[in-house]
């Protein structure tokens, strides 16, 4: 069990980055209950690996994305029991205004048609991460990231045009 100061630091860090965690959940889950389950799993994995020493944003992204992607790859539900007393409390839900929620829904609908790696790269790009930070998080070279990002932009443009205007639909 971690000491109270470590728990407070963990809660503060997760609270500060809860928007990013919620975005990961939105990218990889369709329903709100699945998003909440994934968020809990991510927080659990973060807590298990928290040492307070690595570069925080890189660590958060790496754990969150790996948890989301590995959960998708398994495509099965595993119930892990954890003593609730050992988990930090005080993490708040994230709510967006209705108009923004609709815009996010449309964006996530388009992003949902991307591959797992493309989704992760898109999220990091939308979070204004540099190619160097993306390389650290994803383990993909910066040159390869640039090529992938250009392809993703083209793909998203086609998807959104297709959804909005019926272009390319058969």
């Amino acid at each position: 069990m971690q000491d109270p100061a470590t728990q407070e630091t963990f809660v503060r860090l997760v609270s500060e980055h809860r928007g990013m965690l919620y975005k990961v959940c939105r990218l990889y889950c369709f329903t709100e209950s699945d998003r909440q389950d994934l968020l809990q799993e991510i927080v659990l994995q973060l807590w298990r690996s928290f040492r307070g020493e690595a570069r925080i944003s890189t660590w958060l992204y790496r754990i969150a994305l790996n948890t989301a992607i590995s959960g998708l790859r398994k495509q099965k539900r595993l119930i892990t029991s954890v003593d609730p007393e050992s988990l930090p409390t005080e993490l708040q839900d994230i709510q967006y205004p209705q108009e923004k929620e609709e815009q996010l829904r449309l964006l996530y609908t388009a992003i949902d048609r991307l591959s797992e790696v493309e989704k992760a790269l898109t999220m990091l790009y939308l979070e204004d991460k540099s190619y160097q930070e993306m390389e650290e998080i994803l383990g993909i070279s910066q040159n390869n990231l640039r090529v992938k990002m250009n392809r993703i932009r083209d793909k998203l443009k086609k998807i959104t045009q297709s959804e909005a205007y019926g272009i390319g639909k058969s």
Side-chain angles (χ1 to χ4, degrees):
M1 181 171 195
Q2 305 275 354
D3 65 73
T6 303
Q7 288 181 14
E8 288 175 26
T9 301
F10 178 80
V11 168
R12 181 180 49 77
L13 290 170
V14 171
S15 294
E16 287 172 6
H17 294 87
R18 69 182 182 270
M20 180 276 299
L21 297 174
Y22 188 72
K23 287 175 188 174
V24 169
C25 295
R26 288 287 306 255
L27 285 174
Y28 292 96
C29 295
F30 296 108
T31 66
E32 187 59 34
S33 64
D34 287 344
R35 288 181 201 126
Q36 291 301 318
D37 289 346
L38 179 56
L39 181 63
Q40 289 176 349
E41 183 65 24
I42 289 170
V43 170
L44 177 62
Q45 294 304 323
L46 289 169
W47 179 246
R48 286 180 175 164
S49 68
F50 183 66
R51 304 288 180 268
E53 55 211 33
R55 185 164 171 223
I56 298 302
S57 65
T58 301
W59 169 77
L60 279 166
Y61 277 110
R62 185 173 292 152
I63 297 293
L65 289 170
N66 285 339
T67 300
I69 291 170
S70 67
L72 279 177
R73 288 184 179 150
K74 291 177 187 174
Q75 289 299 321
K76 59 184 176 179
R77 296 278 183 204
L78 297 175
I79 299 175
T80 307
S81 60
V82 174
D83 180 15
E85 298 297 318
S86 69
L87 296 174
T89 55
E90 306 166 13
L91 296 176
Q92 300 177 7
D93 252 351
I94 299 167
Q95 298 292 323
Y96 292 107
Q98 184 62 31
E99 183 179 312
K100 186 172 183 179
E101 189 65 37
E102 179 61 20
Q103 291 173 339
L104 287 171
R105 188 190 66 72
L106 292 172
L107 174 64
Y108 286 115
T109 298
I111 293 172
D112 185 53
R113 295 179 63 185
L114 301 174
S115 73
E116 294 170 359
V117 172
E118 290 171 333
K119 286 178 186 180
L121 182 54
T122 301
M123 190 201 68
L124 294 171
Y125 177 81
L126 292 173
E127 288 284 318
D128 292 324
K129 295 298 176 191
S130 69
Y131 284 110
Q132 181 177 346
E133 290 172 304
M134 289 183 206
E135 179 180 33
E136 292 172 14
I137 293 166
L138 298 174
I140 300 172
S141 74
Q142 291 183 42
N143 288 336
N144 197 355
L145 288 169
R146 285 181 177 84
V147 170
K148 286 182 180 294
M149 198 63 237
N150 285 330
R151 290 180 182 160
I152 291 168
R153 282 186 200 113
D154 291 342
K155 196 173 187 179
L156 284 174
K157 184 176 181 181
K158 288 177 185 173
I159 291 169
T160 55
Q161 285 176 343
S162 173
E163 293 296 319
Y165 306 110
I167 297 171
K169 288 188 176 182
S170 44

